[in-house]
Amino acid sequence: MSLYQEAAPRTAPAATRTARTVAGELLDRTLGAPAEHPRRDVGGAGPVGIDAGDERAVQAACGVMHVHGRATGAPAPLAADYVSTVTGVLAAQGATAALLARRRGGPPLRTRTSLAQGALLTVTQYLAAATAHETAEAGGPDGTGLATLTTADAVRVEIETLDPAAWAGFWQRLGVPPRTAGRGWQPFQTRFGTAVCPLPPELRAAVRTHPLEAVRAAGAAHGVSVAAIGEGTTAPPGLAPWTLAPAPLSTDPCPPLPAVTDADALPLAGLRVVESARRVQGPVAGHVLRLLGAEVVRVEPPGGDPLRGLPPVAGGCSVRFSALNHGKSVHEADLTTRQGRDAVRELVSRADVFLHNWAPGKAEALRLDADDLHAVNPRLVYASASGFGTALGPVPPIGTDYLAQVHGGLAAALRPAGEPPAPSLMTVTDVLGGLVLAQAALAGLLARQETGRGCRAASSLLSAAALVPRPPRRVALSALDRPLPTADGLLYLGAEARALPREVARTVGATGTAPVGERLRTRTTDAWLAELREAGLPSVAVRTDLAALAADPAFARAVLPPDDRLPYARPAAPWEFTEETR
């Protein structure tokens, strides 16, 4: 069974329906509802034994449970349909890119993707780190790998700062010596790449001696955002995934996009993107546009992006950084100088898209906002991403993944009922936010092709988080909804098996005195998988070693192994494009 095998002609599984719904909603927004959508498929199965539409089984098999569970010591499911949502955005991207290529004179294209490909994209940087020469430090089983803190009045909080001086001042105000606070800075700042945050226990103890208001006061005094984590799973209402606004009318005619002349070219071939972005959200957007065929030029400060040195390093560059930025050319410019800003304007004058995820107010301060750059290039699609847009008022919290999870309801929705709500340290909204930014840019390019005008596109981490469907109350998981230990690893029951607990118990020989979990520990994972599948109860081995993905034959077309050029494994492009035949 191939990763790309066609799904059987039956009622679509729940996760596939979610992905198709998300794709449809985004295409309606891109094309104008109601609209006739291009042909796109969310189908195909994963590795042997995975139902193509089983959200949690795909999480288990592709390493998502492993990365999400690092901070608490064991693989754990994301309780919301995160992978399905990512896959829906990918399906919309493929369809929009295919339509754009068609309107540039190319052949009609059909595109397809799968949940497995969506899941693999979400673990891109973790897969790279696991297959490089150095490996990331894993969290311990005691749960101290989370960054979430608890106050004296039992309120769980998430804090955020990107400034080491602010970090030091915040902890000093709470009574923590500078040397102790300093030991927590590196694990705190690198948690977005490692998915763990082993803070010194003294920091956790200090917060436990102060009530919420005192912690908030310390944050306000030093510019550290403090967010209380509630049980609510819903996102703020009325959030659009992105907004588009046309550029001012120009007397200069806006030429159409370059025609597609090569039938084998990728949909965005011939287009140019200028990217000025850091960390994950912005680079993911540029990465996706490059995978669709665009030329991407990164603007970095003199000496290069500091994250190029983030361990593990292979081939002279951080593999986490390279995983999202390889294939992009680099132009170094100091944006604090007039010369550097003029260099950006020159790059943009010959570009189709400019994208950034700068902090609020930076574009205006640099005089590189949409109005400034549309004066240089009226056909430009100016795509910007933020943490919260205008949803949380004129002075929003620091716009990073983990606070977006808190304010977007995901900190509760991603964790099952009975567990304390806390953001996943896997970069769930950064990746999804980057994908939504890329779709906003594609929507802008399509609008420009139709109207002849450039535009401003804006999205946020919070608006991306709102795409993830979730119930009004947190999901309850049974013992069979979680990874189950075997004699040599972990096994995860497929959706059909999870719905038939008595059949599972009968198949494994469990009795009232020997529950399913105890019986599974008596044999190996492979032995149980064979027996369960023979009984019509699909199950999968839980991936706990990302490095093994590159060597797994079931992932041969979906994961590219390390090579001389890129010494780490990475997911292949998550779309297939084939010429439409009627």
Side-chain angles (χ1 to χ4, degrees):
M1 186 180 291
S2 162
L3 188 69
Y4 298 89
Q5 180 179 355
E6 290 284 355
R10 56 182 172 85
T11 303
T16 302
R17 292 197 302 272
T18 296
R20 290 174 179 169
T21 298
V22 170
E25 291 174 353
L26 296 187
L27 286 170
D28 280 343
R29 185 167 190 83
T30 299
L31 305 176
E36 181 180 352
H37 297 164
R39 292 290 299 277
R40 83 279 179 196
D41 290 339
V42 182
V48 175
I50 301 179
D51 184 337
D54 187 342
E55 161 86 26
R56 292 185 201 145
V58 172
Q59 288 183 27
C62 297
V64 174
M65 284 189 186
H66 165 63
V67 176
H68 170 60
R70 277 181 180 174
T72 50
L78 294 165
D81 286 346
Y82 173 69
V83 170
S84 306
T85 304
V86 165
T87 306
V89 182
L90 290 174
Q93 288 172 348
T96 307
L99 182 58
L100 186 61
R102 176 62 174 158
R103 293 185 179 174
R104 294 168 59 203
L109 297 175
R110 176 175 177 170
T111 181
R112 58 196 306 260
T113 188
S114 71
L115 261 71
Q117 290 165 292
L120 291 171
L121 184 70
T122 70
V123 298
T124 295
Q125 62 166 329
Y126 310 105
L127 175 61
T131 52
H133 297 304
E134 301 176 33
T135 56
E137 182 177 335
D142 59 358
T144 58
L146 284 170
T148 304
L149 305 167
T150 304
T151 65
D153 39 1
V155 178
R156 294 171 66 79
V157 298
E158 204 72 17
I159 66 173
E160 185 63 277
T161 179
L162 305 177
D163 180 355
W167 171 267
F170 171 81
W171 288 110
Q172 186 170 9
R173 188 179 179 101
L174 295 181
V176 177
R179 184 181 295 274
T180 303
R183 287 193 287 113
W185 176 245
Q186 183 175 8
F188 182 80
Q189 276 299 290
T190 59
R191 70 198 191 284
F192 79 94
T194 62
V196 295
C197 187
L199 292 175
E202 295 91 339
L203 304 190
R204 300 182 187 279
V207 172
R208 284 196 298 269
T209 64
H210 292 80
L212 174 62
E213 288 310 310
V215 177
R216 281 180 167 161
H222 296 281
V224 174
S225 292
V226 178
I229 307 171
E231 290 280 340
T233 64
T234 57
L239 287 176
W242 67 84
T243 59
L244 282 185
L249 286 171
S250 172
T251 56
D252 297 327
C254 181
L257 295 174
V260 175
T261 57
D262 183 352
D264 296 325
L266 288 169
L268 299 191
L271 303 188
R272 194 177 203 217
V273 176
V274 176
E275 168 195 314
S276 180
R278 290 192 60 191
R279 294 173 74 94
V280 177
Q281 179 191 25
V284 163
H287 178 63
V288 166
L289 297 176
R290 186 191 67 79
L291 290 175
L292 286 168
E295 174 197 0
V296 180
V297 180
R298 271 185 61 79
V299 177
E300 297 187 12
D305 192 313
L307 291 183
R308 288 181 175 274
L310 180 69
V313 173
C317 183
S318 165
V319 297
R320 301 185 200 281
F321 178 92
S322 180
L324 299 178
N325 293 292
H326 69 269
K328 304 173 183 177
S329 59
V330 177
H331 185 101
E332 294 187 4
D334 183 353
L335 301 187
T336 65
T337 68
R338 180 173 180 177
Q339 183 180 11
R341 294 191 293 273
D342 286 345
V344 172
R345 294 187 184 96
E346 171 60 25
L347 288 172
V348 165
S349 69
R350 297 173 281 113
D352 299 286
V353 176
F354 177 69
L355 65 84
H356 72 76
N357 63 337
W358 295 335
K362 181 176 178 179
E364 292 80 5
L366 294 174
R367 302 187 69 180
L368 294 174
D369 66 4
D371 290 341
D372 295 316
L373 295 188
H374 280 140
V376 174
N377 180 356
R379 69 189 185 94
L380 183 72
V381 174
Y382 184 101
S384 63
S386 65
F388 302 100
T390 59
L392 300 185
V395 186
I398 298 170
T400 59
D401 188 302
Y402 310 114
L403 293 191
Q405 289 187 50
V406 173
H407 290 283
L410 285 182
L414 292 176
R415 297 193 183 273
E419 294 183 12
S424 172
L425 289 189
M426 181 176 166
T427 50
V428 293
T429 65
D430 264 337
V431 171
L432 185 55
L435 294 174
V436 170
L437 176 61
Q439 179 63 20
L442 289 169
L445 287 169
L446 195 61
R448 186 183 83 173
Q449 186 73 2
E450 295 174 347
T451 66
R453 295 172 68 179
C455 64
R456 177 200 298 255
S459 67
S460 71
L461 294 175
L462 193 65
S463 68
L467 281 177
V468 181
R470 74 289 295 265
R473 293 190 181 92
R474 297 170 67 194
V475 173
L477 299 182
S478 70
L480 297 187
D481 290 319
R482 302 173 185 274
L484 299 167
T486 64
D488 63 347
L490 293 169
L491 176 150
Y492 194 76
L493 298 173
E496 295 177 18
R498 299 196 302 273
L500 299 169
R502 291 183 180 178
E503 291 297 321
V504 172
R506 185 179 301 113
T507 300
V508 303
T511 66
T513 57
V516 169
E518 291 182 18
R519 284 289 301 160
L520 289 176
R521 292 177 185 272
T522 64
R523 299 173 62 186
T524 66
T525 302
D526 286 344
W528 283 124
L529 289 177
E531 189 158 336
L532 287 164
R533 290 169 186 159
E534 186 176 350
L537 300 168
S539 304
V540 64
V542 178
R543 178 74 59 181
T544 57
D545 179 8
L546 290 180
L549 277 172
D552 190 334
F555 289 88
R557 295 176 60 195
V559 177
L560 304 176
D563 54 40
D564 292 340
R565 184 175 61 92
L566 296 172
Y568 54 84
R570 62 273 183 202
W575 316 271
E576 283 188 329
F577 292 98
T578 55
E579 191 166 342
E580 187 79 67
T581 57
R582 297 186 182 275

